[in-house]
Amino acid sequence: MLFNHAPEKFWNLISSKYAASPIADRSAYETKITRLKTYLTPDMSVLDIGCATGTQCGDIASNVKQVTGIDISSKLLAIAEKRMAERNLTNVELLRTSIFDKTFQPGSLDVVMAFFVLHFFEDIDAVFKRVHELLKPGGIFISETACLGNKNKLMGGLLRSAGRLGLLPKINLLTTQQLEQSLARAGFSIVEKTRFSERSDAEFTLVAQKALSE
Ligand SMILES: C[S@@+](CC[C@H](N)C(=O)[O-])C[C@H]1O[C@@H](n2cnc3c(N)ncnc32)[C@H](O)[C@@H]1O
């Protein structure tokens, strides 16, 4: 099966395996979530792009008013629905849609999160522009991205070729610098840049803010 024009098929196919795999560095994950909660208040509306099985949506749900998790994979979203029900979380909405969905209102969100999904977008400037548009003034964008452009060129080349051939979804070989420059072009200021894990494959968690007035 080829995935370059249908990435949702890839994610649906691996959904059970993905859902069963544990978080790579649990202690670093918990430190990160605790830290991210310092940006959240009970009146906030949050959007999680690429929510998959809803791990982060569920982990922050009791700290905010409402969480919307979006994803392209119906199978991962079905697992997320089940997990939210098991956790008795009633303020998490899960939708199979895209960040560019016109029903999302400009200036309506307090926080947008994007964990390990931005490298699946070809036009990162367009994504950041849209996130900026959806956030309220002073709103926060939290992201963690596999920056394969920072890493081993051979591995990056192989992944790019696999994407071109359709064996994997297409991967954008981003660098941390590209992400930061693109965030600045969209009008964000970086307020925090932390690597929560000591693992060699750990990525930076970037927290960026939309200006209070423009
Ligand atoms: C590596 S997983 C990350 C899941 C989760 N955010 C996490 O950190 O555990 C990437 C997820 O992004 C989703 N995805 C890929 N392209 C997407 C897009 N254009 N819009 C929304 N979700 C997307 C996939 O279906 C998958 O669930």
Side-chain angles (χ1 to χ4, degrees):
M1 188 181 293
L2 300 182
F3 301 112
N4 49 359
H5 296 301
E8 67 275 17
K9 285 195 183 155
F10 171 82
W11 293 105
N12 281 341
L13 198 68
I14 67 155
S15 58
S16 305
K17 209 165 174 196
Y18 184 87
S21 50
I23 291 171
D25 184 341
R26 165 66 60 184
S27 148
Y29 175 78
E30 275 165 14
T31 308
K32 178 177 68 187
I33 291 293
T34 303
R35 173 87 195 134
L36 297 183
K37 284 181 180 172
T38 64
Y39 291 95
L40 307 177
T41 55
D43 55 336
M44 286 184 163
S45 293
V46 179
L47 178 73
D48 184 16
I49 307 169
C51 66
T53 57
T55 305
Q56 288 88 356
C57 293
D59 287 346
I60 62 149
S62 19
N63 296 75
V64 297
K65 185 167 135 208
Q66 210 264 333
V67 186
T68 302
I70 61 171
D71 205 284
I72 56 172
S73 163
S74 52
K75 293 215 168 165
L76 285 168
L77 286 168
I79 297 167
E81 287 283 6
K82 211 165 148 237
R83 290 190 175 173
M84 297 310 115
E86 282 161 6
R87 295 173 79 170
N88 291 321
L89 294 169
T90 52
N91 63 338
V92 181
E93 175 190 36
L94 297 159
L95 302 172
R96 185 171 166 270
T97 191
S98 120
I99 179 87
F100 300 102
D101 185 330
K102 295 231 170 19
T103 60
F104 295 131
Q105 292 301 308
S108 62
L109 297 167
D110 298 284
V111 175
V112 175
M113 314 192 295
F115 291 102
F116 295 101
V117 65
L118 296 177
H119 49 288
F120 296 115
F121 286 89
E122 276 188 50
D123 186 349
I124 205 70
D125 277 350
V127 174
F128 289 161
K129 196 170 160 219
R130 178 66 172 153
V131 170
H132 192 268
E133 177 183 56
L134 294 178
L135 283 169
K136 295 177 185 172
I140 294 287
F141 179 49
I142 301 169
S143 69
E144 204 170 348
T145 306
C147 283
L148 296 166
N150 290 345
K151 305 219 163 104
N152 183 316
K153 290 225 162 30
L154 179 64
M155 174 61 88
L158 286 173
L159 288 170
R160 201 200 296 266
S161 302
R164 281 211 191 102
L165 290 170
L167 304 173
L168 288 176
K170 273 195 189 152
I171 294 176
N172 191 347
L173 302 185
L174 294 163
T175 64
T176 313
Q177 195 188 18
Q178 276 174 332
L179 283 182
E180 290 180 37
Q181 288 171 347
S182 182
L183 282 167
R185 278 195 294 278
F188 284 102
S189 315
I190 307 248
V191 293
E192 183 172 342
K193 180 179 169 185
T194 312
R195 271 177 70 162
F196 286 94
S197 174
E198 299 294 319
R199 285 168 55 114
S200 60
D201 59 349
E203 303 290 349
F204 283 105
T205 302
L206 293 176
V207 181
Q209 187 166 31
K210 175 172 174 171
L212 272 167
S213 60
E214 299 192 317

